[in-house]
Amino acid sequence: MRRLLVPAGFALVAAIVAPSAFAQFTPVVPESPNADGIRTSYLFITIFTVAIFLLVEGLLVAFIWKYRRRKRPRFEDGAPVHGATKLELAWTGGPVIVLFVIAVFVFAELPGIKNIPTATAGEEQLEIKVTGRQFYWQFEYPNGVVAIDTMRAPAGVPVKLVVRSPDADVIHSWWIPALGGKIDAIPGRTNQTWFRADKPGTYRGQCAELCGLEHAQMLASVEVMPRLDFTAWLEQRRTDQTAGTGELGKETWGGVCAKCHGLAGEGGVGPRIAGSPTLTSPQSLATLVRHGRTGPQGVMPAVGSDWNDEQITALVSYLKENPPSGNAG
Ligand code: CUA
C-alpha cells in the first residue's frame, strides 16, 4: 500500500504545483518588441532543454531498471562492450546540431532586442536620459523636464534610453521586464537601450544590481500614456518646473529623501529630519544635497549633486506646503 501511496502523493503535489511553478519560470508578458524577442528566445531554448532533460533522465531511469543487479552476485562484471560507432556519432552530432540551431535562432533575434530602431523621417522618437543613483532613478526629457522613479512615455513611440550613473556613485541596473532586457547604469560609461510600448499601462521594475543598503527601495515604473496625454503631461511639467512647483517636489521627497529618512521624516537608515530648518531653506538644502556632509552630525551623501535650481525649489515648496510630521504611519 505504501508503495503506491508515496508516488501517488508525489503526483498529486506535482499536479498542484506544476502550473503555478511553471508560471514562475516564464518571463512576464512582453509589451515591447525587444522584450518579445527575449521571451521568444527563452521559450525556444526551453524546448530543447526540456526535451534533453526528459531524454537523459528517461534513459537513466530505464537503464537503471533494465540493468539492475537482480540475482547476479554483487561483484560480477557486466558483459564488456566495445565501440558503437553509430551511437557515438549520434551523441556527438546531435548536440552539435542542437547548439547550432539555438545559436542561429538567437543571432537572428538579437538585433531586434539590442538595436535601437533608427529614427526615420516622419517617425517620432523620444530620448530620455536615465540616471541611476543611490537610491533612485532620475529621468530627464529633451525639454529639460525631470522626473524621479516614475517615467512617463507615449504609447507606440520608440523610446531610446541613455543610461548612466554619476562618477561618485555605484553600478545600478535598469530593468522593466515587460519592456525589454536589463541594462547597467555604470559610472563613467553610457549605455543605451530602448522600448516601444503599444499599450498604455504601468509597467513595473526594480534596480537589478545590488547597490547598497536601500537597493530594495530602488523601484522604477514606466507609465505609458496615449500620445496626446503624454504631450500634455510633458508641457504641464515644463510649466510647473519653471515655476518651481508641481509633482517634482513630491517625487523628489518620496523617491530620494524619504527612502533613508522616512516619508514623514521620522528617520530610518538616515536620521530624523522632520522639523529641520534645512528642509525649507533653498540655500542650505541645495548645499547639503549637492555636496553632502561629513562630520560629527553624521554622513550625508551628495544625493543631488546634479540637481538644478528648479528641482531644489520644487522640493522646498513641496516641503513648505507639506511639512513632514515626523510620525511614521
Ligand atoms: Cu540601484 Cu540596486
Side-chain angles (χ1 to χ4, degrees), residues 172 207 209-211 215 218:
H172 305 271
C207 172
E209 185 73 59
L210 182 63
C211 54
H215 154 74
M218 213 172 150

Side-chain angles (χ1 to χ4, degrees), residues 132-137 169-173 206-212 214-216 218:
R133 305 189 58 133
Q134 286 175 315
F135 297 96
Y136 66 98
W137 294 102
D169 214 276
V170 300
I171 300 177
H172 305 271
S173 187
Q206 154 91 56
C207 172
E209 185 73 59
L210 182 63
C211 54
E214 296 291 89
H215 154 74
M218 213 172 150

Side-chain angles (χ1 to χ4, degrees), residues 36-295:
D36 193 57
I38 291 172
R39 191 170 83 147
T40 312
S41 309
Y42 177 92
L43 294 178
F44 186 76
I45 294 168
T46 303
I47 293 169
F48 290 97
T49 50
V50 169
I52 291 167
F53 177 81
L54 292 178
L55 179 72
V56 171
E57 295 304 310
L59 286 175
L60 183 69
V61 171
F63 287 158
I64 287 172
W65 180 254
K66 184 159 188 234
Y67 298 108
R68 69 192 187 282
R69 182 157 64 96
R70 291 205 174 96
K71 297 222 164 67
R72 273 182 288 121
R74 190 166 195 86
F75 295 106
E76 188 187 300
D77 287 338
V81 178
H82 295 290
T85 312
K86 279 184 190 158
L87 198 59
E88 287 169 18
L89 283 174
W91 79 48
T92 309
V96 170
I97 293 170
V98 168
L99 289 180
F100 181 75
V101 169
I102 289 177
V104 168
F105 187 86
V106 170
F107 276 108
E109 286 286 331
L110 204 54
I113 295 172
K114 198 173 180 312
N115 298 354
I116 300 157
T118 40
T120 48
E123 201 208 354
E124 264 184 90
Q125 198 184 59
L126 178 69
E127 183 177 313
I128 302 176
K129 288 190 191 129
V130 177
T131 309
R133 305 189 58 133
Q134 286 175 315
F135 297 96
Y136 66 98
W137 294 102
Q138 178 144 329
F139 311 117
E140 196 185 328
Y141 295 81
N143 66 351
V145 159
V146 170
I148 305 272
D149 286 354
T150 303
M151 175 190 288
R152 267 83 171 186
V157 175
V159 180
K160 177 179 167 183
L161 303 176
V162 180
V163 183
R164 52 178 284 278
S165 172
D167 287 347
D169 214 276
V170 300
I171 300 177
H172 305 271
S173 187
W174 171 256
W175 192 30
I176 305 287
L179 301 181
K182 289 178 190 149
I183 195 87
D184 278 359
I186 304 172
R189 209 194 131 93
T190 302
N191 281 335
Q192 300 188 338
T193 185
W194 68 284
F195 66 84
R196 193 197 71 218
D198 294 321
K199 237 176 37 205
T202 303
Y203 306 106
R204 291 178 202 290
Q206 154 91 56
C207 172
E209 185 73 59
L210 182 63
C211 54
L213 214 49
E214 296 291 89
H215 154 74
Q217 303 260 18
M218 213 172 150
L219 306 170
S221 59
V222 175
E223 207 180 304
V224 175
M225 320 162 93
R227 272 187 212 208
L228 292 178
D229 293 1
F230 171 77
T231 315
W233 171 84
L234 195 62
E235 277 167 20
Q236 184 59 46
R237 281 287 284 232
R238 180 65 269 176
T239 314
D240 290 346
Q241 203 171 299
T242 311
T245 56
E247 287 288 291
L248 180 58
K250 187 181 179 186
E251 281 181 14
T252 305
W253 172 255
V256 186
C257 315
K259 282 178 186 161
C260 292
H261 297 286
L263 254 185
E266 74 276 17
V269 173
R272 180 187 173 91
I273 52 170
S276 161
T278 309
L279 298 183
T280 44
S281 155
Q283 291 80 18
S284 320
L285 192 66
T287 312
L288 183 61
V289 298
R290 283 183 186 150
H291 305 288
R293 181 169 64 198
T294 49

Side-chain angles (χ1 to χ4, degrees), residues 5-46:
L5 272 179
V6 173
F10 273 118
L12 187 66
V13 170
I16 295 165
V17 169
S20 60
F22 188 68
Q24 299 276 318
F25 285 104
T26 50
V28 298
V29 179
E31 298 290 349
S32 172
N34 50 352
D36 193 57
I38 291 172
R39 191 170 83 147
T40 312
S41 309
Y42 177 92
L43 294 178
F44 186 76
I45 294 168
T46 303

